[in-house]
Amino acid sequence: MDTLREAVNETMTLEVTPDKMLAVVSFKPSLGDGKQLGIDEIKKQIHDKGIVYGLDENVLNDIESNRQMEFKYIIARGMVPQKGDDAKSLFHFDVENFNKVQPKENEDGTVDFKSLNIVHNVNKGQVLYEKVPATEGIEGMNVFGEVVRAVKGKDIRLPRGKNVDLLEDGKTLVAGISGRLCYDKHNIYIAPLLVIEKDVDSSTGNVEFVGSILINGSVKNGFKVKATGNIEIHGSVEAAHLEAEGDISVWYGIQGIDKGTVKTNGNLVAKFIQNASVEATGNVVAEAIMHSQVAASNVYVEKGKGLIVGGQIIASHYITATTMGSSMATQTDLQIGIPPHVMNEFKQIEKKYFTLSEELSKIGQSVNFLTTKQARGELPPDKLELLRKLLITRQQTQSTHRELSSRYKELSESIQDATGGQIKVKNILHSGVKVTMGSLVKYIFEDVTYCTVKRSGADIVIGGY
């Protein structure tokens, strides 16, 4: 017995992705005597749905000649917008190595401190930086023929600091004055440069300058040179006093005669350091350090003689030298693992902490006395106002005291538990050297060659270089 089948025409389903960038069709077959869709009807349905851009004629031809049922055909693709390029920085100086202290090494292993050029001089109008602007990008279009806006590339701020001019093009920075080029990883700025063409002595007096100082001579006994930038000295330094917020370079070394001092928030590079006191936030680099007090992040004495003998060397991380101490067992004190800035902060906080403790004690005595008078009804109005002020002062002082106490304890523990850092000796570590790491102390009683000294647990150990 034949079963009558209802005639069902072929149908097409059209879907568009949420971003409107793809149009997809699929087909359900006809049944019985149902009609198949012709290509003209298919195109009409597509057009009626508003699909007008990115139609793929090859796919439509395939659908016309040999389409599969229940298969999804991508019949139109939108054009994806292209994001604009981000703005870029084009520096006209070596950014990567700008703040690195890298003396030129001679063929004989010594260091040419004349070639250090720690001060980067520029002339007014010199191009320092260019910004390559961000681009707008390329607009796209979805399958409905609607424009899809492109995302513009990200802009960047101009690293314009003091004494740097911006040209009319809005993207080029030039030196506004002649002076020292400075870059702190955020801004470019020009510090004025003071050039002294002779020795700093009785003819010049002490020198203090807001900017950098270049001295084409030496600094004589008893004189002071202070700069908010760098100090570069093309001669030697006697028992003088140097202080800089930036780096200090001395071509022919420092002979402090137990009176000279050097303080820098940057690096110190000198041919040698003898009988001087040095404090550097950065590194100290020299060919020899003799009978001096030196505190720095790292101390490198590897070129030339590479000698550390006598005095005291304190470093945060590394002390490296060819030879430490002497064959005469000269007492040489090496401390490592305690950052100089931590020790300085510790001393400052310690002083403030005990000063505030004394103040709190005195305030407490006064408050107790006045409170007792008030309880007895013997406190006059003016003393009542004094009591009120004392109570406020005590509260404020106690708050500061608690903060100092917490930091004081933290720093004390840091100093006691210092474990980082190493001492590396390329040739000989002589007897007579004292090594301190945190609360641990080790005396060297016999010469050791090619070694590394470090802390391991509760011991200071000596291993291979």
Side-chain angles (χ1 to χ4, degrees), residues 90 129-133 158 166-173:
L90 179 61
Y129 171 92
E130 291 179 84
K131 179 171 77 170
V132 180
L158 289 168
L166 175 64
L167 297 186
E168 291 183 359
D169 63 8
K171 61 182 183 180
T172 305
L173 299 179

Side-chain angles (χ1 to χ4, degrees), residues 384-416:
L384 185 61
E385 177 63 18
L386 174 61
L387 175 60
R388 187 185 68 81
K389 290 181 178 179
L390 282 172
L391 290 171
I392 293 173
T393 301
R394 183 171 69 173
Q395 185 177 8
Q396 294 172 342
T397 305
Q398 284 175 335
S399 176
T400 304
H401 188 265
R402 281 193 296 269
E403 293 176 3
L404 286 174
S405 177
S406 175
R407 184 58 178 159
Y408 178 71
K409 182 179 178 181
E410 181 181 341
L411 291 173
S412 296
E413 293 174 351
S414 175
I415 291 171
Q416 288 297 318

Side-chain angles (χ1 to χ4, degrees), residues 94-101 120 182-185 247 267:
D94 187 356
V95 175
E96 294 297 324
N97 298 308
F98 188 78
N99 291 314
K100 291 183 179 179
V101 180
H120 305 274
C182 303
Y183 179 62
D184 60 7
K185 297 186 179 180
D247 299 319
N267 304 300

Side-chain angles (χ1 to χ4, degrees), residues 75-124:
I75 50 96
R77 297 175 185 269
M79 182 175 70
V80 178
Q82 296 182 24
K83 180 182 178 299
D85 294 329
D86 294 340
K88 298 178 182 178
S89 292
L90 179 61
F91 291 88
H92 285 248
F93 55 91
D94 187 356
V95 175
E96 294 297 324
N97 298 308
F98 188 78
N99 291 314
K100 291 183 179 179
V101 180
Q102 295 179 321
K104 179 182 177 182
E105 185 175 342
N106 298 319
E107 292 181 1
D108 61 1
T110 60
V111 174
D112 183 3
F113 289 92
K114 293 182 180 179
S115 300
L116 184 63
N117 295 322
I118 206 167
V119 176
H120 305 274
N121 296 321
V122 294
N123 296 316
K124 182 178 180 179

Side-chain angles (χ1 to χ4, degrees), residues 275-289:
N275 296 107
S277 176
V278 173
E279 183 180 337
T281 301
N283 301 325
V284 170
V285 181
E287 290 187 8
I289 300 177

